[in-house]
Amino acid sequence: MKRHLTWILLLLTLLVGVLPGAAAAGMEKMTVTFYDEVSQSYGQPTVTDRINLTLDGAPLTPVDVPALVQYPAGSQNGRTLVPVRLISEALEATVTWVPETRQVVILREGSTIVLTLGSASALVDGKQVQLPDGIPAGVVKWEGKESTMVPLRFVSEQLGAQVEWQGDTATAAITSPKEEKPQPPTDPTGPEEGDLGWITGLDFDKTTQTFTVTADHTPQYRILDLGDRLAIDLLGAVYAPAVGKDLILSVESDAIEQIRCSQHGDDLGYGYPHTLRLVLDLASGVSYAQNLSVSAGGNQVRVSVSEAPEQPELPPLEPGKITIAIDPGHGGNQPGAVYPDANGNDVKEKDLTLPMSLMLAEILEDRGYNVVPTRTGDDSVSLADRAKMANAADAELFVSIHCNALDRNDYEGIFTYYYPNSTKGAALAQQVQDGVVAATGGIGRGTPSANFQVLRETTMPAVLVETGFMTHPGELARLCDPTYQQKIALGIANGIDAYLNNRT
């Protein structure tokens, strides 16, 4: 009997060592909803456990959504999720949100963590790593507030911190990375065995707006698009002026604010003894996709400014009329989703959103509105410029038109998105969603919020309408039909009228 009691006590001790579920004492309950990246909507309310946080003994308190436990299906042992910006900045890391790919990029001292919302794996310094228990990063809503949440232990340990579970107070205690004692300099005097060679020059030509990297070998490089920054890693390369210190190169450019240069060893995970990282800080409204091009030839890598940012040009606006900004998604060298129709011909999203937007513009103009389109042809327009155009026009409303896609072909329906915590945006989204569903007879999938750039950077109530799924054969056929496109345009116009007529 005594031996059995000993084994029972040992088993209980092991269970408490894992972040507990129902076995934990003193946990406060909270009701949250988790955003599903597949259906692009919030799930049903879930009751879970609230977690306290400390950093080096001091309370660490989230502003919006508290730390909480997410339990895998069928398991009582969960993983703690915390707001990404809270934990990253507490551990002296920077956070970048990439809306086009639904990714969070965390940077600290040359280390890079890329978390894709809804994915059970992450990229750590370019290597794929499975997340513990498959618990992904994701958006969580609690009491009307939303936060992007990430696994606490995984992110903390990747940033060099430690996490200890204190079950008696339901607290995750985080300890900052220990400061290393100064070591004798180990900076390279030159390339080592396994490296490719020297970087012999970094030059910026203000006339041609070209940044040139010159090497004594054929350079190998990787590009990381960080939204407001562009990182270029030169593999197996050493640049003597950057050894032992970070350099900042001043440039005369409207697109590039400065270029930072940092010499790394083998810490970036590329398999070379050294890597030179160049970071181009981009001016407001500039993006790699729209304004820069990277090319290589011989012993050089060149970054060229292909399109300088300009102030948006607006059509003539009639005083006294309400102005509506209409944004046909994608365009130019950004086709959006591409899927074959019933005849096997590729259909590009940009070729569906434009006619729908032009139809909408015509309806609104007939109803007495000013209309500002972000594009009227097959043009490349950055997300930042789309928002700038609407803001410069002092538009009353902003409507972006897109088509959806999934990795399955049996899901169809209409979504209308608004920016998180925008009361007016939510009201506009509901009216537009109701209008489109009524006009088309399509399946209404709801009005979730999302941190899309065009919704975030516009200063007026803004919505993004996902008019249907190109991956569903029947819905794709309807989206290609001008009669159905006209119904979508009419539904959006009716929703705009309803919103404006019901404002208080």
Side-chain angles (χ1 to χ4, degrees):
M1 180 67 181
K2 183 175 181 181
R3 178 177 298 176
H4 289 167
L5 181 60
T6 301
W7 278 107
I8 291 172
L9 291 173
L10 178 59
L11 179 59
L12 288 173
T13 300
L14 290 173
L15 286 173
V16 173
V18 182
L19 182 59
M27 281 191 179
E28 179 183 346
K29 297 295 181 181
M30 59 186 296
T31 301
V32 301
T33 50
F34 294 94
Y35 187 78
D36 180 43
E37 293 292 327
V38 176
S39 65
Q40 299 184 16
S41 63
Y42 279 100
Q44 295 298 315
T46 300
V47 178
T48 188
D49 297 308
R50 182 170 180 165
I51 303 298
N52 301 310
L53 299 173
T54 62
L55 177 64
D56 300 327
L60 183 62
T61 306
V63 175
D64 294 320
V65 179
L68 55 93
V69 181
Q70 183 173 3
Y71 295 98
S75 175
Q76 291 188 340
N77 296 318
R79 292 285 172 178
T80 299
L81 300 180
V82 294
V84 59
R85 196 165 296 278
L86 174 79
I87 186 61
S88 300
E89 293 180 352
L91 296 177
E92 299 182 350
T94 60
V95 179
T96 298
W97 167 245
V98 185
E100 294 82 3
T101 56
R102 304 282 290 168
Q103 289 179 321
V104 174
V105 181
I106 304 172
L107 297 174
R108 183 178 185 273
E109 295 180 355
S111 295
T112 303
I113 305 170
V114 180
L115 294 158
T116 302
L117 302 195
S119 173
S121 64
L123 290 175
V124 179
D125 295 332
K127 296 180 179 178
Q128 188 170 19
V129 179
Q130 293 300 310
L131 295 173
D133 294 330
I135 298 293
V139 179
V140 177
K141 181 185 289 186
W142 174 73
E143 295 187 350
K145 302 175 181 178
E146 293 177 313
S147 286
T148 299
M149 311 290 279
V150 296
L152 169 65
R153 185 177 296 277
F154 177 81
V155 171
S156 297
E157 291 181 351
Q158 294 297 331
L159 295 176
Q162 296 180 340
V163 179
E164 178 186 355
W165 173 246
Q166 298 175 350
D168 54 339
T169 59
T171 299
I174 308 161
T175 303
S176 297
K178 295 181 180 179
E179 293 187 8
E180 299 289 340
K181 294 182 179 180
Q183 299 293 327
T186 57
D187 295 324
T189 56
E192 300 177 6
E193 183 178 354
D195 280 326
L196 299 178
W198 290 99
I199 297 299
T200 57
L202 301 176
D203 303 289
F204 186 84
D205 188 322
K206 66 179 182 181
T207 303
T208 61
Q209 290 289 290
T210 301
F211 175 55
T212 303
V213 180
T214 305
D216 65 356
H217 57 280
T218 300
Q220 301 293 316
Y221 63 95
R222 300 290 184 271
I223 296 174
L224 183 60
D225 184 0
L226 301 175
D228 60 350
R229 289 160 290 159
L230 177 67
I232 302 176
D233 289 339
L234 294 152
L235 314 185
V238 176
Y239 183 54
V243 172
K245 60 181 179 180
D246 292 335
L247 295 181
I248 295 180
L249 308 177
S250 299
V251 297
E252 294 185 38
S253 173
D254 292 332
I256 304 171
E257 293 182 344
Q258 63 180 12
I259 300 173
R260 293 179 280 133
C261 178
S262 180
Q263 181 66 62
H264 288 261
D266 60 357
D267 54 302
L268 296 183
Y270 290 118
Y272 290 88
H274 299 103
T275 295
L276 180 69
R277 170 163 286 181
L278 303 172
V279 178
L280 284 69
D281 294 319
L282 306 181
S284 176
V286 175
S287 69
Y288 166 52
Q290 294 293 326
N291 306 106
L292 302 178
S293 62
V294 180
S295 60
N299 64 335
Q300 292 184 330
V301 176
R302 290 171 292 278
V303 182
S304 301
V305 178
S306 55
E307 182 181 336
E310 299 177 354
Q311 292 300 314
E313 295 184 8
L314 301 176
L317 302 177
E318 187 173 336
K321 288 186 176 182
I322 293 175
T323 298
I324 310 296
I326 301 174
D327 175 41
H330 307 285
N333 61 6
Q334 296 184 349
V338 181
Y339 289 92
D341 61 13
N343 298 318
N345 299 317
D346 281 346
V347 178
K348 299 175 182 178
E349 182 181 355
K350 68 176 183 177
D351 295 331
L352 298 177
T353 61
L354 182 59
M356 286 188 277
S357 298
L358 296 178
M359 292 174 186
L360 174 59
E362 184 176 357
I363 294 171
L364 292 176
E365 287 173 345
D366 288 344
R367 295 184 181 183
Y369 295 99
N370 286 322
V371 173
V372 173
T374 60
R375 68 180 179 97
T376 56
D378 190 18
D379 306 311
S380 297
V381 184
S382 72
L383 296 175
D385 283 345
R386 295 169 192 255
K388 283 182 178 180
M389 197 175 300
N391 294 340
D394 195 22
E396 193 79 13
L397 303 175
F398 176 92
V399 178
S400 186
I401 298 178
H402 286 254
C403 300
N404 224 330
L406 271 180
D407 55 358
R408 48 191 279 194
N409 63 7
D410 60 346
Y411 193 84
E412 60 181 313
I414 301 159
F415 289 91
T416 303
Y417 291 86
Y418 66 94
Y419 186 65
N421 299 322
S422 171
T423 304
K424 293 181 179 179
L428 174 60
Q430 191 61 60
Q431 294 286 8
V432 168
Q433 176 79 355
D434 291 346
V436 175
V437 171
T440 62
I443 299 173
R445 294 295 185 181
T447 58
S449 63
N451 188 22
F452 295 141
Q453 186 174 351
V454 291
L455 303 183
R456 182 178 67 248
E457 295 186 1
T458 41
T459 57
M460 69 291 300
V463 295
L464 186 148
V465 187
E466 292 282 8
T467 56
F469 283 82
M470 297 177 65
T471 42
H472 186 281
E475 195 152 58
L476 176 58
R478 292 193 295 274
L479 290 170
C480 293
D481 181 358
T483 301
Y484 190 78
Q485 294 174 356
Q486 185 72 23
K487 291 180 180 180
I488 291 174
L490 179 62
I492 295 174
N494 290 344
I496 290 172
D497 276 345
Y499 171 79
L500 293 174
N501 291 334
N502 287 281
R503 287 186 301 178
T504 56

